[in-house]
Amino acid sequence: MENKNKSSFTSSIGFILTAAGSAVGVGNIWRFPYLAAKDGGGLFLLVYLGLVLTFGFTLLTTDIAIGRRTGRNAWHAFESIRPKWGFLGKLTFLVPAIIMTYYAVIGGWVLKYATVYVCGQRAQAAQDGYFLDFITSPVSPIVFLLIFLAITAFVVYSGVEKGIEKFSKVVMPILLLMIVGTAIYSLTLSHTDANGVTRTGLQGLAVYLIPDFTGLTFSKFLNILLDAMGQLFFSLSVSMGIMITYGSYVKKDVNLEKSIAQVEFFDTGVAFLAGMMIIPAIFVFAGTEGMAAGPSLMFQSLPKVFESMGAAGTLVGAAFFVMVLFAALTSCLSILETLVSTCMNIFHSSRKKVSLVISVISAVAAVIVCLGYNVFYFEYTLPNGQTAQILDVLDYVSNNFLMPLIAFLTAVFVGWVIKPQWVTEEMEVQGATFGKKHFYAVMVRWVVPVIMAILFLQSTGLLAKVATLF
Ligand code: PHE
């Protein structure tokens, strides 16, 4: 069933940058900072870092090793190891299929803001209601999403080493430089508000870095843990087949343990720096109250920050949103690439034909998600109490419901059915060393299944129901 069009990475750095390109996206730059700000800065950081080194490491290692050892994408990988477990591959395929529809919508929003700042409309973007007016308008968000999707489709259409690898090799280092630059700039900010209170970027940095344990209860801690875990899945692009597909492109002489550590470092580093550029800036201009803004932080609060910088705000704003656009593009590419390469295998069809068909289907689905803010508007209450429109429902189903379920099943499969050794052998292929072998085995057999089961029950609202029984 080997696919004749199969491409592979030309180098290990190409693999690392492409995997990092998938991992680094709006998850790092938009989602991580607002969660960190909401969940008390330093404390969230501490918890998240702990999770990256334990769960992140385990899940990423599992995905990539399965991909490389089987040489197959997620759809066929599980089935080729144990035919009875083929269902897991199919379940896994659902996640990128769902995420694709709404990621393109967010990509469109980012493209819109990048365009606005490049055209110098800083003041308009900072007005109250600008973001809401934009996403609820009938035509504009659809146009931006279609342009964003067309760019993504073009890269996937032209094949992996020519397209994605080349794109990531150029874009990822530039992105890193821009983030470091903006983060340093953010620390130099200082602003005196109407009450004569002066706040500086360095004070903001302290809020971001120093854990504050006052008023911490067990249930608050559990919430921080859940937020951090959900963020980890989304941010590392694990448990959705993407890293399995990428693993299948990696040559046997690439040292996986080292590459995986580098991908984790890159992804976490960008999230950390994104927090460092956004949180001090929000603190300086809006104080601690401004930090609780939630998901709208990047699209509503940040433009106000750029506005108060005066003329420099146009430049900083443009650099910022162009940077987020790059990150969103490389992530969306990885989602589309997974869908395309899987369907090429299933239907034995060419990359060009499949890319076209899937892009059109994704475009139609994304337009429907977009219309969730006007034509198809509804208010649905999710099990976690959040009011949701189509986009939020899809996000919840994929991240909070499917991903813990898939992580649970995958850990049971590797830990108990094929045994951790199956993965560790692949990690040690061609004499490579796998230092964290025993740690990996304990994680995948015991820790991941237990915690994922709890998380899954929590996300379905079942845990709360069980708790009321006591
Ligand atoms: N990991 C990406 C981010 O942080 C998002 C993503 C999700 C990418 C799912 C691929 C698949 O934004």
Side-chain angles (χ1 to χ4, degrees):
M1 215 185 313
E2 213 44 32
N3 169 14
K4 60 179 183 308
N5 288 321
K6 188 167 174 82
S7 322
S8 59
F9 294 116
T10 50
S11 63
S12 110
I13 186 75
F15 162 63
I16 294 163
L17 290 178
T18 311
S22 164
V24 175
V26 296
N28 305 60
I29 302 171
W30 157 76
R31 211 164 181 268
F32 182 87
Y34 92 68
L35 284 177
K38 174 174 89 69
D39 287 339
L43 193 55
F44 180 85
L45 263 184
L46 207 67
V47 173
Y48 186 78
L49 220 60
L51 292 184
V52 171
L53 295 174
T54 51
F55 286 80
F57 153 75
T58 310
L59 297 169
L60 201 54
T61 301
T62 307
D63 274 7
I64 291 178
I66 290 180
R68 194 173 72 171
R69 181 153 178 179
T70 59
R72 305 262 159 84
N73 54 47
W75 183 276
H76 296 298
F78 291 100
E79 174 185 87
S80 74
I81 311 172
R82 289 280 190 283
K84 260 206 207 139
W85 282 78
F87 78 92
L88 189 50
K90 273 124 218 159
L91 191 65
T92 303
F93 187 68
L94 265 182
V95 179
I98 294 175
I99 293 184
M100 183 67 207
T101 60
Y102 73 85
Y103 208 85
V105 176
I106 302 177
W109 297 348
V110 174
L111 178 61
K112 157 80 179 179
Y113 274 71
T115 314
V116 164
Y117 277 90
V118 168
C119 297
Q121 297 166 330
R122 184 189 75 234
Q124 286 98 307
Q127 274 160 17
D128 285 332
Y130 183 84
F131 179 61
L132 204 65
D133 282 349
F134 166 62
I135 63 169
T136 52
S137 66
V139 182
S140 172
I142 294 179
V143 172
F144 281 100
L145 109 81
L146 291 178
I147 299 174
F148 180 83
L149 202 60
I151 301 173
T152 313
F154 177 76
V155 181
V156 172
Y157 181 85
S158 33
V160 72
E161 70 282 76
K162 281 191 259 100
I164 304 177
E165 191 177 345
K166 212 185 251 170
F167 192 79
S168 299
K169 263 191 193 160
V170 178
V171 163
M172 297 314 291
I174 299 179
L175 174 67
L176 198 64
L177 282 181
M178 285 168 85
I179 292 185
V180 171
T182 322
I184 294 171
Y185 176 82
S186 190
L187 298 182
T188 67
L189 294 172
S190 164
H191 177 73
T192 306
D193 65 16
N195 306 325
V197 182
T198 303
R199 284 183 298 262
T200 66
L202 286 175
Q203 288 169 344
L205 182 68
V207 173
Y208 176 45
L209 293 184
I210 301 171
D212 182 4
F213 294 98
T214 39
L216 185 69
T217 61
F218 180 69
S219 94
K220 258 195 205 155
F221 181 75
L222 200 65
N223 269 334
I224 294 179
L225 192 67
L226 292 175
D227 274 352
M229 191 72 89
Q231 173 63 18
L232 184 74
F233 279 114
F234 190 75
S235 191
L236 280 179
S237 313
V238 287
S239 295
M240 54 184 92
I242 288 180
M243 290 301 174
I244 298 185
T245 303
Y246 275 17
S248 77
Y249 296 151
V250 181
K251 297 201 173 124
K252 290 283 184 192
D253 59 0
V254 171
N255 180 320
L256 285 189
E257 187 176 25
K258 229 160 89 198
S259 309
I260 287 167
Q262 281 162 343
V263 172
E264 280 185 88
F265 181 76
F266 205 101
D267 185 63
T268 311
V270 173
F272 176 77
L273 289 169
M276 199 165 123
M277 72 182 174
I278 291 178
I279 295 176
I282 301 282
F283 175 79
V284 165
F285 292 107
T288 30
E289 312 83 66
M291 286 174 46
S296 64
L297 195 69
M298 189 171 98
F299 293 107
Q300 283 176 321
S301 314
L302 210 52
K304 292 201 197 306
V305 173
F306 295 143
E307 177 59 14
S308 34
M309 287 176 188
T314 305
L315 205 72
V316 181
F320 176 81
F321 281 108
V322 167
M323 183 170 83
V324 183
L325 182 63
F326 281 158
L329 266 175
T330 51
S331 294
C332 199
L333 277 174
S334 73
I335 308 176
L336 188 60
E337 168 62 21
T338 297
L339 298 178
V340 168
S341 76
T342 307
C343 290
M344 276 161 66
N345 261 333
I346 300 173
F347 300 110
H348 300 285
S349 190
S350 75
R351 169 172 288 273
K352 296 207 170 356
K353 218 188 271 164
V354 174
S355 325
L356 279 179
V357 173
I358 296 198
S359 303
V360 171
I361 297 174
S362 304
V364 173
V367 167
I368 295 173
V369 175
C370 225
L371 295 176
Y373 292 101
N374 40 55
V375 182
F376 301 131
Y377 187 86
F378 60 73
E379 288 181 5
Y380 176 77
T381 309
L382 293 169
N384 68 356
Q386 189 194 337
T387 309
Q389 278 82 57
I390 300 179
L391 190 145
D392 313 279
V393 173
L394 292 173
D395 182 87
Y396 193 85
V397 170
S398 62
N399 299 336
N400 298 34
F401 179 79
L402 282 173
M403 287 193 204
L405 179 66
I406 291 167
F408 171 78
L409 291 171
T410 311
V412 169
F413 177 63
V414 172
W416 300 93
V417 180
I418 59 172
K419 305 283 159 48
Q421 211 188 350
W422 191 95
V423 165
T424 47
E425 276 167 17
E426 180 60 27
M427 298 296 287
E428 291 174 332
V429 106
Q430 293 194 1
T433 50
F434 185 31
K436 287 185 267 182
K437 192 163 142 177
H438 299 294
F439 176 66
Y440 173 81
V442 173
M443 282 300 297
V444 84
R445 282 183 84 121
W446 303 101
V447 186
V448 175
V450 171
I451 301 294
M452 287 310 143
I454 296 176
L455 209 64
F456 178 73
L457 290 178
Q458 167 80 15
S459 76
T460 48
L462 286 173
L463 199 65
K465 286 213 181 80
V466 173
T468 56
L469 298 177
F470 297 101

